[in-house]
Structures are given as C-alpha cells and as structure tokens.
Amino acid sequence: MQHTQSYINANKEVFLEELLALLRIPSVSADPAYADDVRKTAQFVADKLQDAGADKVQLFETAGYPIVYGEKMVDASLPTILIYGHYDVQPPDPVELWDSPPFEPIIKKTKLHPDGAIFARGACDDKGQAYMHVKAFQAMMDKGELPCNVKFMIEGEEEVGSENLGIFCKEKAEMLACDVVLLSDTSVIANDIPSITVGLRGLSYVEVEVVGPNKDLHSGVYGGAVGNPVNILCEMIASLKDENNKISIPGFYDDVVIVNEADRAKMNEAPFSLEQYKESLSVDSVHGEKGYTVLEQTSIRPTLDVNGIWGGYIGEGAKTVLPSKANAKISMRLVPNQDPDTITALFQSHFESIAPESVKVTVTPHHGGMPAVTPTDTLEYKAAAMAMKQTYGKDPIPQRGGGSIPIVALFEEVFGVKSVLLGFGLNSDDIHSPNEHYGLFNYYRGIETIPYFYQYYTDLKTGKIS
Ligand code: BES
Ligand code: MN
Ligand code: MN
C-alpha cells in the first residue's frame, strides 16, 4: 500500500477541493424543496466514482432518491467489500445559528482540530466520510494496489429512514453479494484515541397530537374550566419518566439485553472525562438514568426524548389564548433486543391510556430502525483494528455508538454479512447541529486507513496472514 499512500499524500489538495465542491450542493433529503440538488449530488458522486475507475457506475432510481452504484471486480476468487455511505444531509436549520452559511464550506481551526476543520452541513455526516472511500479507492486503482473486489452503494435517504434502500438491497441481493460491508458514518473517541464502533442503537419515532376544544379560546373566559392541550401534553410527557430518569412505559424494558458487570466495567475503561463533557456542553450536571455512567447511558441503555414540541401562541409579545391543540415529536433510542414496532405499539397504547377525558390523543408512528451489535472476535474486526493500528500507531478501542443506522441490521439480514463501522468523525463535530464540521486530519486519516483495511481483510480472508 506504499504507492497508494504516496498517491494520497500527493493529492491531498485536490481531494479537499473535490469534497468542498460536493459540500456546496445542498442535498437535504427531508425537504422536497431541495429535490433537484439531491439528484445533482447523486450525479456528482457517480461521476467521481467513474473517474476513480469504477465499472458499471449507475444511478438506480427508487421511489425516492437514486442510489449510486459502482464496482470493480478484479477476481471472483478474492473477497468482495461492499462500501456503504449516504450523500444526503440533515436540514441546516436553524440557519441563523451557523457562523457561516451551511452550504458554503470554509476551513477554520478549532481546539480539537488544530490543523483545521471543514465547516458545512454534511462535512462529517456523511459526505466527508463517504467521499474518503471514493478517494481511497481511486488511490488504490491508480497505483494498481486494489487487493480485492469492491462494490459501492451510496444512498440519498439515510437521514429519512433508508426505506427505499431496504427494498433495493432485497431486490438486488445478487448484484450486491459481498463478504463484508464497510462504512464510515460514526466517530472515533479522539484523534489520538482510535476506536471502532461495535454497536448502534435502534429507533422508534412517533408524533403525537393532543386536541382539546374545537377552536382556540380566550384563556380568561374559558381558562380554568377547559383542558389546555399544551398543559396536558406537558403533563403526559413528564409522566413518561420517573424520578430516576427511567422510562415508565409498562413493558418498555422487557426485551432490553442486560449487559453483565464485567462487560460494563470494560466499557467504562474507555477514556472519558465527565468534567470536559459537561464543560463542552455548558451544563452543570448531566441528567441520565440513575445507576449508569454517561458512556452506558448513551450506548447500552434506551432513551426517550422530545425532539420538538409546539402549540399555542409563539409570536411576539403576549397573547392570551387557550390553544385548541398541541403536538410533539418523540424519539426513543433502542438497544438490543428491543424491537421498534413493539416499542412503538407499547408507546401508543400507553400514551392513549394516560390521556385525560378532556382531550383526544393521536399517535402517528414514523420510521424506526433495529439496533445492531458487532462482535470483536471476527476477522473483519481484526482487519479494521490492524488498519487503525497501522495509521494511528495504537490499537483501537471497541465502543458502542449511541446513534442509529437502521440499514446495518438489514445488511446482516439480507446479505448475511457483518458490517464494519470504521468511522473517523468526533462526537463533538456537531453533526445534525449548526456549525457541523469535519477535521482535515480526520478526512485524510480516513483515506489513509481504508486501503489498509482492504489489504488486511483480503490477507486474513485468503489465509495469507492470520
Ligand atoms: N451517521 C448518523 C448515525 C450515527 C452518528 C451513528 C454518530 C453513530 C454515531 C446517521 O446519519 C444518523 O443521523 N442516523 C439517524 C437515524 C435515521 C433513521 C434518521 C439518527 O441516529 O438519528
Ligand atoms: Mn450518517
Ligand atoms: Mn445523520
């Protein structure tokens, strides 16, 4: 991989310029106003894949946004790596909280990124990380060092649930056949503490509506007698957790896999400073489930959070009104073996049951996703660990992540293969938030590490090394 590494080193500036161009296209999948740009982004990625040397590059149309496909089959007897990534991004809102426009990438130094970081929506999640794979592939191709077969599948609907990708995977299972899936859409602990993500949480997402009187009312004339949907929604939500921050929906924890004390102790050996954590968020205290550390609360324990809540008058000044309805969006992060459909059903029946007779409640389920865990005693984990050791000079720490990538569970179900979550972002990179950024160090380190994964995986799989 020496020539590949020199090629990467010699092309750092171009690799950066190309990523900046990709980040300038606002591929927000959630908002139909960006539809043309989302498609433009797919075409951009396809063109770059083609330039890098992939064969059969194609945009596969779906009921939503296209899936970018490309492959390089060097020898059927060699292993095949399927690269997954997503070119869609989260909405940039609230735009006014960005220090620079979200789709005009700029490079600035930060405390954690002294070499500079690219500030733009999607810089880390996931354009920057997905594009590392295209460039790593290009380098191996150019230098004739591609050690195995590779297939690319880059989708445009991850941030809205990957529903069409699920259908695509089932339909094209033969075309997508592979030995392992490799993706970079997660984080490392720190730039000097490499880690590999070995778990993802699942997701159940619902929207609730509480309706009271048939119209907005004068809060003096009617207030005191008529149930206020905003008050009631708040009371209902407040009752979903007890004084220990444990979720009080009956049956919610029934299927949760309890991690044993030895494994918990090991997880908590990972470097983590509660003081720094609080300081970075400007909070005086954390507020998680009693009896668990922050690392545990954000990985092996489920959660329930209001993502948005609205109702009544929110304009300038004071308007005395008793609103007719109130709404909230609520997410529940799930852990093995919780099933999103089961949890959604439990939430729905519980939420309806706690509604007072003065209001009507509707619960509308949104997309969900299964949790996933990957073992560390596998050949694919070993290859990833060896690759990181090579570039970071240290063994990576296996760590479960708190976020969700629902398609990972489906890869296992449909292709029967494990995924390697070789992410290079930092948790502090503000993904989904204003001022999302991705370190230049992280971008280049990712491009450098990926070829080693190819090499070690192929060598381990073919028995060349053990
Ligand atoms: N890349 C993230 C998931 C992630 C981030 C996992 C950091 C681990 C660490 C992904 O793009 C994402 O945001 N997923 C959504 C779920 C999806 C169904 C909208 C999430 O986790 O909220
Ligand atoms: Mn992502
Ligand atoms: Mn995301």
Side-chain angles (χ1 to χ4, degrees):
M1 287 296 153
Q2 218 168 331
H3 301 291
T4 295
Q5 297 298 333
S6 333
Y7 181 91
I8 293 167
N9 216 17
N11 285 282
K12 282 186 165 175
E13 264 164 52
V14 212
F15 288 0
L16 176 58
E17 280 311 316
E18 289 176 14
L19 173 58
L20 298 183
L22 174 60
L23 291 168
R24 286 188 193 104
I25 325 175
S27 51
V28 180
S29 51
D31 184 349
Y34 294 92
D36 288 348
D37 287 309
V38 182
R39 289 177 175 279
K40 231 182 257 172
T41 310
Q43 191 59 55
F44 181 103
V45 174
D47 290 345
K48 294 297 177 190
L49 209 46
Q50 178 98 42
D51 295 346
D55 299 327
K56 297 192 183 166
V57 174
Q58 195 181 330
L59 293 186
F60 281 95
E61 285 300 333
T62 70
Y65 290 119
I67 294 157
V68 183
Y69 181 81
E71 62 175 47
K72 189 74 205 176
M73 302 300 289
V74 290
D75 182 342
S77 69
L78 286 170
T80 301
I81 300 176
L82 176 65
I83 306 291
Y84 163 78
H86 63 95
Y87 64 79
D88 65 322
V89 302
Q90 283 278 322
D93 310 72
V95 178
E96 64 280 8
L97 295 186
W98 285 73
D99 295 329
S100 57
F103 299 108
E104 293 171 28
I106 59 159
I107 293 162
K108 280 194 301 191
K109 292 186 164 76
T110 72
K111 218 164 115 192
L112 292 177
H113 295 294
D115 300 337
I118 311 160
F119 283 76
R121 172 57 84 231
C124 176
D125 183 15
D126 182 44
K127 283 171 167 175
Q129 297 212 61
Y131 204 63
M132 299 181 316
H133 286 275
V134 181
K135 296 298 101 178
F137 168 69
Q138 176 184 329
M140 287 183 278
M141 283 296 286
D142 195 271
K143 292 295 150 196
E145 289 183 334
L146 183 72
C148 61
N149 306 310
V150 57
K151 296 174 177 176
F152 281 85
M153 179 172 74
I154 321 277
E155 69 154 324
E157 297 185 304
E158 196 277 340
E159 300 292 7
V160 291
S162 300
E163 230 171 274
N164 292 309
L165 183 72
I167 299 169
F168 179 78
C169 288
K170 287 176 189 156
E171 275 177 13
K172 302 278 180 195
E174 209 170 305
M175 177 183 90
L176 299 168
C178 56
D179 297 284
V180 65
V181 180
L182 176 65
L183 59 140
S184 300
D185 197 18
T186 52
S187 326
V188 286
I189 295 173
N191 280 352
D192 57 352
I193 310 170
S195 59
I196 296 175
T197 302
V198 290
L200 293 163
R201 287 197 283 191
L203 185 68
S204 159
Y205 200 110
V206 296
E207 197 163 326
V208 299
E209 181 167 80
V210 175
V211 179
N214 57 4
K215 59 195 159 199
D216 283 7
L217 303 172
H218 189 288
S219 65
V221 176
Y222 291 94
V226 177
N228 179 324
V230 179
N231 291 25
I232 290 169
L233 174 60
C234 291
E235 286 162 19
M236 290 172 73
I237 289 170
S239 78
L240 296 176
K241 284 194 186 178
D242 70 12
E243 67 282 7
N244 294 323
N245 288 319
K246 216 172 145 84
I247 295 155
S248 41
I249 299 171
F252 187 88
Y253 292 96
D254 284 2
D255 298 328
V256 169
V257 171
I258 304 298
V259 178
N260 67 46
E261 289 299 327
D263 286 349
R264 284 178 65 183
K266 207 153 166 221
M267 281 175 188
N268 285 304
E269 280 171 17
F272 176 80
S273 154
L274 183 58
E275 281 318 306
Q276 274 173 26
Y277 188 76
K278 290 189 294 188
E279 199 196 309
S280 72
L281 302 173
S282 306
V283 295
D284 294 332
S285 173
V286 287
H287 199 82
E289 183 185 356
K290 199 174 164 189
Y292 295 91
T293 65
V294 168
L295 284 178
E296 292 167 345
Q297 287 160 354
T298 55
S299 64
I300 58 165
R301 298 299 293 169
T303 65
L304 183 151
D305 279 291
V306 176
N307 293 242
I309 183 163
W310 65 101
Y313 182 69
I314 53 164
E316 284 292 316
K319 180 192 178 196
T320 49
V321 62
L322 194 163
S324 155
K325 59 179 189 173
N327 301 73
K329 291 180 194 275
I330 298 173
S331 68
M332 288 159 278
R333 296 282 168 176
L334 312 179
V335 298
N337 282 331
Q338 286 180 299
D339 175 78
D341 294 335
T342 309
I343 293 295
T344 301
L346 281 178
F347 178 94
Q348 178 152 14
S349 59
H350 177 69
F351 206 70
E352 285 166 0
S353 79
I354 60 172
E357 272 176 33
S358 53
V359 294
K360 289 179 192 66
V361 167
T362 6
V363 177
T364 310
H366 282 268
H367 56 73
M370 293 289 286
V373 266
T374 45
T376 53
D377 58 353
T378 62
L379 199 143
E380 30 281 88
Y381 182 86
K382 192 171 182 185
M386 288 172 80
M388 277 199 149
K389 174 92 191 264
Q390 179 90 37
T391 52
Y392 286 85
K394 287 182 192 176
D395 283 319
I397 298 169
Q399 192 171 54
R400 291 211 210 171
S404 310
I405 310 175
I407 202 69
V408 168
L410 191 129
F411 290 155
E412 181 154 10
E413 186 193 315
V414 177
F415 306 143
V417 302
K418 285 286 176 197
S419 294
V420 173
L421 300 157
L422 196 62
F424 294 90
L426 297 184
N427 278 343
S428 54
D429 282 347
D430 292 323
I431 64 170
H432 295 208
S433 298
N435 303 312
E436 174 177 354
H437 54 280
Y438 190 43
L440 293 177
F441 169 88
N442 306 67
Y443 181 53
Y444 296 130
R445 182 54 59 88
I447 301 173
E448 289 154 8
T449 306
I450 291 161
Y452 289 117
F453 175 82
Y454 278 58
Q455 186 65 63
Y456 288 128
Y457 180 69
T458 306
D459 288 350
L460 284 166
K461 191 89 181 158
T462 56
K464 217 165 152 193
I465 58 170
S466 61

